[in-house]
Amino acid sequence: MALEKQAWEKILRYLRIRDKERTDLLDDLLPQDLAEQIYSLPNQEKIEIFGLLNNEEAAIILGEMELEQQAKIISLLSPKIAADILSEMPYDDMTDLLGELKEDLKNKILGYMQSDDAEEVRELLEYPKDSAGGIMTTEFIAFKETLTVREAIKGLRELAPSAETAYYIYVIDEDERLVGVVSLRELIIADENEILREIMRTNVVSVEAETDQEQVAQMVQKYNFLAIPVTDKDNKLLGIITVDDIMDVIEEETTEDIYHLVGTSEVEGTTLVEARPFSIARTRLPWLIICLLGGLFSGSVISVYEETLDAIVTLAFFIPVIMDMGGNVGSQSSTVFVRGVATGEIPPNKMFKYFLKEIKVGLIMGIICGITIALAASLWQGMPILGLVVGISMFCTVTLAATIGTLIPLIFTRFGIDPAVTAGPFVTTIKDVTGLMIYFYIATAFMDYLM
Amino acid sequence: MALEKQAWEKILRYLRIRDKERTDLLDDLLPQDLAEQIYSLPNQEKIEIFGLLNNEEAAIILGEMELEQQAKIISLLSPKIAADILSEMPYDDMTDLLGELKEDLKNKILGYMQSDDAEEVRELLEYPKDSAGGIMTTEFIAFKETLTVREAIKGLRELAPSAETAYYIYVIDEDERLVGVVSLRELIIADENEILREIMRTNVVSVEAETDQEQVAQMVQKYNFLAIPVTDKDNKLLGIITVDDIMDVIEEETTEDIYHLVGTSEVEGTTLVEARPFSIARTRLPWLIICLLGGLFSGSVISVYEETLDAIVTLAFFIPVIMDMGGNVGSQSSTVFVRGVATGEIPPNKMFKYFLKEIKVGLIMGIICGITIALAASLWQGMPILGLVVGISMFCTVTLAATIGTLIPLIFTRFGIDPAVTAGPFVTTIKDVTGLMIYFYIATAFMDYLM
């Protein structure tokens, strides 16, 4: 959907000659497409374009970029111009962007902003970034419960709220406590003389400002809301979180989960393409070093059985297949379990039942893989007894890997620890050690027949 | 958020005595909570509850369950009752549910439905399940461009559309071609005497019915729409896809991606908790058997160097750590790349640049892991020369694993193949084989010093 080169040059010409006060640029063009185009330009041209846009346009286009990209562009502009543009953004986006900037630039920009805007943002900056308070916007529509439908519609027309916030009208009592909700649709089809209290739904699902954003996302997904209200402990309405922000949260949280499965994390404050290699390496090395120690530990299992291996060096040929299969089965089981818990497909009260099923799955796969490798090993080395040893080891390793691969994240979940964080490295080391121990133990037992 | 036992018993008592024609049950209770509760009951009680609900309530509550759960409940009811309940569902949900049923039950239910409903559903069933046509609903609001705002609002009140479809009013010309869109918010704040053509946006983003659902999801996410219109080749409006369905698509596609990373797939037509162990095992075994062959191939590398190993059996102790590290680094690189492509963080024109960066990341990690293992191996076995061999091998393995782990999914992406499908097993075998070859090649070269 990126713009054609010609179309873009036409836009540039148009921007250069037109009156900055007119706001018709975004009537025919989608801000997302402009954002993509502008960000791909050299810095000098980025500055030029932002000089040609009026503040409202600049704010809308900026709002469509990734947070890191927004911060980069704002750093290119003067703090005064940056403050003017930011003042046109919704409070939640403004707060996110300011939170991304260096401390002194942030304060300079806040200094140029109107004092009420600055005040509002300072309050929002207090909430942790990944809490409901951190992602909410304070622009919402709330009317007293005694208003008539006609008055509410009139009020709406006067406020002309921004698109993302207009779909639910929240209803509050005398003390500004949230008591109900009316969707814009319900308002428009209601009798104009009814009062809000009569048409509102009273079963409002809301979250507190401290709630973790992942939980908020799960609720919005479950109930299919377009927005969810955020309240304080006394049920006073503080803000709302809209579905477009929720989709960003879901993407972010899923990426985090997937990264944790392979023991890495995102590089803070930049995109993958722009991060320095050193920063990327730093996110992956801690887990790699742990795995390195785990790998040495697995090696020490072999060293225990040095005599067996020295006598029958052929045994070493099957180390890779035993290790690989244990690893693969283990990561399949862990990954399926972790994802099932994340999406709610495995509910908390069914976890143990699912664990028992995984053991059966492990047994089935163990039998099939065990027979396959037994035949393959017998044929390759011409030693049926070696085939038997490898086959039995494979059966035990696969069954155990499926069991351990589910059990470890299950235990982590029970103790309230994100299972994705630690399932990977633990499972890797444990399956290696157990797999190799089983293999060499069985081989040593069959020693006389193998010689 | 599940209901308390007491609250649930109160609901049951209430359901048994109340007049079925009244629909006040869902004024105070959220259908999602009821759906959860009802699904957890024994089958006989499920049937009883659905006998007590009126059709509208039954349809709403059913609509909140997973598709497989819906199909299970419908199979419990008589086809006549099932048809009555289905008739109250939006067309897209109705179609999804019917598509999930056995052929003869589906036809029986369609036979009991009103002919226009049945006709509509039969048409929707024609579209592939994961295309825009397969997930769209045909219930949308479309007005002619010559209508005034007043007439449009009046029309809306009369239609009283369902919540999910009312937020955009699509504007069509004489030939029912899509020419513009007005949001409910824009309609409500506009001058009542203006005509729709004057206030509508003309830059409507739409998709064709054949578009893949994953692409649709990406567009909705990019543009933050609450719904996206679906058209045929002549730009005639066929239906809309709403954001709640898009969130389900995103979850489904992400699960698919994650599953592919570990070489498994979802069990069709059932949930994880209810799938039979044999069915689960069958989704995982194909990849495991390929990996098993790959593991044997890796073992054959060792067999090539049997003499070296026979001479210095200590070399076997470091097989696990070399294999593990190659595997871990490879899956980190593959996973980060695949996810980056899926979320758009690595755009197509930056893939090669990112690949070069991954090589640098691999070099950095290779140096650090190489030095670490060299020191550890020297201390453990008291042989600095062995440490050197293992260290150099580790450096080469890690660097190569990062390179291969990115290169393979990069090539798959370039050829238009989903990189998640095949990155896993390929990377596993290739990194094992290269890692072991490097290790034994270097060891054999240093043979004289090691003895």
Side-chain angles (χ1 to χ4, degrees):
Chain A
M1 285 277 146
L3 295 170
E4 302 276 327
K5 197 164 183 294
Q6 278 190 325
W8 175 242
E9 278 166 6
K10 225 166 110 186
I11 294 164
L12 264 185
R13 273 202 303 279
Y14 166 79
L15 276 176
R16 288 206 181 94
I17 55 165
R18 75 160 183 159
D19 175 359
K20 228 177 136 179
E21 291 311 305
R22 292 178 57 203
T23 57
D24 46 7
L25 179 69
L26 296 176
D27 278 359
D28 299 317
L29 288 162
L30 289 163
Q32 292 86 352
D33 294 332
L34 286 169
E36 257 181 31
Q37 187 71 41
I38 293 172
Y39 193 74
S40 69
L41 296 173
N43 283 347
Q44 204 43 51
E45 287 184 42
K46 282 183 198 144
I47 299 173
E48 190 207 353
I49 298 286
F50 272 86
L52 294 172
L53 295 168
N54 64 40
N55 292 335
E56 200 189 327
E57 291 164 351
I60 293 173
I61 292 170
L62 207 59
E64 294 304 330
M65 296 182 186
E66 297 280 326
L67 207 49
E68 294 85 6
Q69 300 179 337
Q70 295 180 22
K72 229 177 168 177
I73 287 185
I74 285 296
S75 318
L76 293 173
L77 306 174
S78 83
K80 171 82 183 71
I81 291 177
D84 289 345
I85 294 174
L86 260 85
S87 303
E88 298 289 334
M89 295 176 94
Y91 284 132
D92 55 342
D93 294 351
M94 203 195 292
T95 310
D96 289 346
L97 175 47
L98 282 168
E100 197 73 19
L101 299 176
K102 295 216 174 67
E103 200 61 25
D104 59 330
L105 179 58
K106 180 177 85 183
N107 291 329
K108 261 191 213 153
I109 293 177
L110 277 170
Y112 280 112
M113 274 166 52
Q114 289 199 337
S115 58
D116 52 341
D117 279 355
E119 191 51 44
E120 193 83 48
V121 168
R122 280 207 180 88
E123 265 175 42
L124 282 175
L125 279 168
E126 296 288 306
Y127 295 105
K129 263 191 191 177
D130 48 8
S131 70
I135 57 171
M136 74 183 182
T137 176
T138 49
E139 286 140 306
F140 54 82
I141 311 289
F143 290 132
K144 292 265 153 65
E145 52 186 339
T146 48
L147 241 60
T148 63
V149 169
R150 186 180 296 110
E151 286 168 327
I153 292 180
K154 190 160 163 272
L156 263 183
R157 279 175 189 269
E158 279 161 11
L159 289 167
S162 72
E164 66 170 351
T165 56
Y167 294 102
Y168 294 117
I169 291 100
Y170 295 98
V171 186
I172 50 177
D173 67 8
E174 292 295 296
D175 302 318
E176 296 196 6
R177 277 193 300 254
L178 180 63
V179 290
V181 63
V182 178
S183 75
L184 185 50
R185 181 191 78 88
E186 288 162 342
L187 190 72
I188 214 174
I189 62 173
D191 182 329
E192 295 205 323
N193 295 314
E194 281 194 283
I195 64 167
L196 294 184
R197 187 169 31 211
E198 287 160 2
I199 64 162
M200 73 187 185
R201 286 159 184 270
T202 52
N203 54 349
V204 196
V205 177
S206 63
V207 292
E208 287 193 11
E210 289 73 27
T211 314
D212 185 80
Q213 63 173 5
E214 194 166 8
Q215 252 179 288
V216 179
Q218 279 166 357
M219 288 174 73
V220 171
Q221 237 175 334
K222 178 177 168 193
Y223 295 113
N224 290 335
F225 293 142
L226 296 176
I228 194 166
V230 183
T231 59
D232 66 9
K233 297 228 178 298
D234 300 322
N235 205 26
K236 217 189 113 192
L237 190 58
L238 298 175
I240 61 169
I241 302 169
T242 51
V243 71
D244 54 315
D245 294 324
I246 290 297
M247 288 212 279
D248 295 341
V249 169
I250 293 172
E251 186 170 296
E252 195 185 305
E253 295 284 342
T254 308
T255 300
E256 206 180 289
D257 279 0
I258 294 178
Y259 274 31
H260 283 161
L261 279 174
V262 292
T264 183
S265 53
E266 284 190 88
V267 182
E268 288 288 324
T270 178
T271 64
L272 260 184
V273 177
E274 287 171 5
R276 289 176 313 129
F278 263 105
S279 314
I280 298 181
R282 203 163 47 208
T283 60
R284 302 187 194 169
L285 275 166
W287 188 55
L288 288 181
I289 299 294
I290 296 174
C291 282
L292 194 142
L293 298 176
L296 279 177
F297 185 55
S298 311
S300 72
V301 172
I302 302 180
S303 79
V304 171
Y305 292 98
E306 186 172 358
E307 272 178 50
T308 310
L309 188 60
D310 210 6
I312 314 146
V313 83
T314 315
L315 286 174
F317 305 169
F318 299 96
I319 293 177
V321 78
I322 295 275
M323 283 182 58
D324 275 350
M325 293 299 288
N328 293 331
V329 171
S331 22
Q332 284 183 340
S333 298
S334 300
T335 305
V336 170
F337 181 81
V338 168
R339 179 69 187 160
V341 171
T343 60
E345 202 178 341
I346 305 177
N349 60 344
K350 295 281 171 62
M351 281 182 193
F352 192 71
K353 186 184 160 197
Y354 179 75
F355 169 60
L356 296 180
K357 192 193 305 267
E358 268 287 337
I359 298 179
K360 287 184 208 152
V361 174
L363 283 168
I364 296 168
M365 299 191 304
I367 291 169
I368 294 173
C369 294
I371 294 175
T372 311
I373 192 81
L375 293 174
S378 305
L379 290 173
W380 181 20
Q381 294 297 324
M383 289 169 69
I385 195 80
L386 180 67
L388 189 67
V389 168
V390 179
I392 296 174
S393 308
M394 182 61 74
F395 166 74
C396 299
T397 303
V398 168
T399 308
L400 258 176
T403 309
I404 296 172
T406 313
L407 186 62
I408 293 178
L410 172 67
I411 293 172
F412 275 98
T413 310
R414 280 278 172 233
F415 283 96
I417 309 168
D418 176 4
V421 182
T422 32
F426 267 79
V427 173
T428 301
T429 301
I430 295 182
K431 61 84 194 171
D432 278 358
V433 172
T434 49
L436 291 169
M437 276 175 85
I438 292 167
Y439 178 46
F440 279 101
Y441 180 81
I442 296 174
T444 310
F446 280 81
M447 193 75 168
D448 293 342
Y449 306 99
L450 282 169
M451 297 284 287
Chain B
M1 284 278 146
L3 296 168
E4 302 276 326
K5 198 164 182 293
Q6 277 190 323
W8 175 242
E9 278 165 7
K10 226 166 108 187
I11 294 165
L12 263 186
R13 272 202 303 279
Y14 165 78
L15 277 177
R16 289 205 182 95
I17 56 164
R18 74 155 184 168
D19 174 2
K20 227 179 133 177
E21 290 312 306
R22 294 179 55 204
T23 58
D24 45 8
L25 178 70
L26 296 175
D27 279 359
D28 300 316
L29 287 163
L30 289 163
Q32 292 85 352
D33 294 331
L34 286 170
E36 258 181 30
Q37 187 72 40
I38 294 173
Y39 194 73
S40 68
L41 296 174
N43 284 347
Q44 204 45 52
E45 286 184 43
K46 280 183 199 145
I47 299 173
E48 190 209 354
I49 299 287
F50 272 86
L52 296 171
L53 296 169
N54 63 42
N55 292 334
E56 200 189 328
E57 291 165 351
I60 293 173
I61 292 170
L62 206 60
E64 293 306 330
M65 296 183 187
E66 298 280 326
L67 207 49
E68 293 85 7
Q69 300 180 336
Q70 295 181 22
K72 229 176 170 178
I73 286 186
I74 285 295
S75 318
L76 293 174
L77 306 175
S78 83
K80 172 80 185 71
I81 292 178
D84 289 344
I85 295 174
L86 260 86
S87 303
E88 298 289 334
M89 295 177 92
Y91 284 132
D92 55 343
D93 294 352
M94 204 193 295
T95 310
D96 290 346
L97 175 47
L98 283 169
E100 197 73 20
L101 299 176
K102 294 217 174 68
E103 201 60 25
D104 58 330
L105 179 59
K106 181 176 85 183
N107 291 328
K108 262 190 212 154
I109 293 177
L110 278 169
Y112 280 111
M113 277 167 50
Q114 289 199 337
S115 60
D116 53 339
D117 279 356
E119 192 50 45
E120 193 83 47
V121 168
R122 281 210 181 87
E123 263 175 42
L124 282 175
L125 279 168
E126 296 288 305
Y127 295 105
K129 264 191 191 178
D130 49 8
S131 71
I135 57 172
M136 74 183 182
T137 178
T138 49
E139 286 139 306
F140 53 83
I141 310 289
F143 290 134
K144 291 265 152 67
E145 53 186 337
T146 48
L147 242 60
T148 63
V149 169
R150 186 180 296 109
E151 288 167 326
I153 292 180
K154 191 160 161 272
L156 263 184
R157 278 176 189 267
E158 281 160 11
L159 289 167
S162 71
E164 65 170 349
T165 57
Y167 293 104
Y168 294 116
I169 292 101
Y170 296 98
V171 186
I172 51 177
D173 67 9
E174 293 295 295
D175 305 317
E176 297 196 6
R177 275 193 301 255
L178 180 64
V179 291
V181 63
V182 178
S183 75
L184 185 51
R185 180 191 79 87
E186 288 162 343
L187 190 72
I188 213 173
I189 63 174
D191 182 327
E192 295 205 323
N193 297 314
E194 279 194 284
I195 65 167
L196 294 183
R197 190 173 25 214
E198 286 161 1
I199 63 163
M200 73 187 185
R201 287 158 184 269
T202 52
N203 55 348
V204 196
V205 177
S206 63
V207 291
E208 286 192 13
E210 289 73 28
T211 314
D212 185 81
Q213 63 172 5
E214 192 165 7
Q215 250 179 291
V216 179
Q218 279 167 356
M219 288 174 73
V220 171
Q221 236 175 334
K222 177 178 168 192
Y223 294 114
N224 291 335
F225 293 140
L226 297 176
I228 194 166
V230 183
T231 59
D232 66 9
K233 297 230 177 295
D234 300 323
N235 205 25
K236 217 190 113 192
L237 190 56
L238 298 176
I240 61 169
I241 302 169
T242 50
V243 70
D244 54 316
D245 294 326
I246 290 297
M247 287 210 280
D248 295 342
V249 169
I250 293 172
E251 187 171 295
E252 194 185 307
E253 296 284 342
T254 308
T255 301
E256 206 181 290
D257 280 359
I258 293 178
Y259 274 32
H260 284 161
L261 280 174
V262 292
T264 183
S265 53
E266 285 189 89
V267 182
E268 287 290 323
T270 179
T271 64
L272 260 184
V273 177
E274 288 171 4
R276 289 176 313 130
F278 263 105
S279 314
I280 299 181
R282 204 163 46 208
T283 60
R284 302 186 193 170
L285 275 165
W287 188 55
L288 288 180
I289 298 294
I290 296 174
C291 282
L292 192 142
L293 299 177
L296 280 176
F297 186 55
S298 310
S300 73
V301 171
I302 302 180
S303 78
V304 171
Y305 292 99
E306 186 173 358
E307 274 179 48
T308 310
L309 188 59
D310 209 8
I312 315 145
V313 83
T314 316
L315 286 174
F317 306 170
F318 299 95
I319 294 177
V321 79
I322 296 274
M323 282 183 56
D324 276 350
M325 293 299 287
N328 293 331
V329 171
S331 21
Q332 284 182 340
S333 298
S334 299
T335 304
V336 170
F337 180 81
V338 169
R339 180 69 186 160
V341 171
T343 60
E345 202 178 342
I346 306 176
N349 61 344
K350 296 282 171 62
M351 282 183 192
F352 192 71
K353 186 183 162 198
Y354 179 75
F355 169 60
L356 297 180
K357 192 193 304 263
E358 268 287 337
I359 299 179
K360 286 185 211 152
V361 174
L363 283 167
I364 296 167
M365 300 192 302
I367 292 169
I368 294 172
C369 294
I371 294 174
T372 311
I373 193 77
L375 293 174
S378 306
L379 291 172
W380 181 20
Q381 294 296 325
M383 290 169 68
I385 195 80
L386 180 66
L388 189 67
V389 168
V390 179
I392 296 175
S393 307
M394 182 61 76
F395 166 73
C396 299
T397 303
V398 168
T399 309
L400 258 177
T403 309
I404 297 172
T406 313
L407 187 61
I408 292 178
L410 173 67
I411 293 172
F412 274 99
T413 310
R414 280 279 172 233
F415 283 96
I417 309 168
D418 177 4
V421 182
T422 32
F426 267 78
V427 173
T428 302
T429 301
I430 296 181
K431 62 84 194 170
D432 277 359
V433 172
T434 48
L436 290 170
M437 278 176 83
I438 293 168
Y439 177 46
F440 279 101
Y441 181 81
I442 295 174
T444 310
F446 280 82
M447 192 76 167
D448 293 341
Y449 308 98
L450 283 169
M451 299 284 284

